[in-house]
Amino acid sequence: MKQYDHPLAQDMQLSCLLYALSDPFRLAVVRKLAACQPQPCAPLQGGRPKSSVSHHFAVLRKAGLVRTEVVGVTHMNSLREQELESRFPGLLAAILAAASVEDVPA
């Protein structure tokens, strides 16, 4: 069973988070997870190839935005809201609010 590495909250870097969220697809994944979590990968794919989606999830995990847990054969994804809030207070809420104002597709 594959296990994923997730950075500790104190190791999260602002530049990595902002880079991860600079991609419209990754921002849409974060918005979808903010609305309903945890979620498996399939409903978050948006018709993209599995290899592309795997890359995007790897970027989100490396930045510390998303936690992926393996449950049987399903990969369940959730936002690391509490860790993000403790490391960067208000950042995730501000980004999600700005994305909704700009009407970035979720």
Side-chain angles (χ1 to χ4, degrees):
M1 175 182 335
K2 181 171 180 127
Q3 296 298 318
Y4 293 98
D5 293 325
H6 302 92
L8 299 173
Q10 66 262 25
D11 295 333
M12 292 178 187
Q13 297 179 0
L14 182 60
S15 60
C16 289
L17 265 76
L18 295 177
Y19 169 74
L21 293 169
S22 69
D23 181 87
F25 176 75
R26 292 192 292 261
L27 179 56
V29 167
V30 168
R31 290 187 68 203
K32 288 175 185 175
L33 287 173
C36 177
Q37 59 179 322
Q39 287 194 51
C41 295
L44 301 170
Q45 281 184 276
R48 289 179 177 253
K50 187 176 179 180
S51 60
S52 172
V53 174
S54 294
H55 164 73
H56 287 297
F57 273 96
V59 172
L60 290 169
R61 276 191 302 273
K62 183 178 177 185
L65 286 157
V66 171
R67 177 173 301 283
T68 302
E69 301 285 337
V70 180
V71 180
V73 296
T74 304
H75 295 79
M76 297 300 290
N77 302 284
S78 56
L79 287 179
R80 296 178 62 190
E81 292 175 293
Q82 291 180 351
E83 295 108 324
L84 287 164
E85 185 62 24
S86 70
R87 178 78 169 112
F88 302 108
L91 179 66
L92 184 60
I95 289 171
L96 292 172
S100 68
V101 169
E102 290 183 6
D103 199 28
V104 174

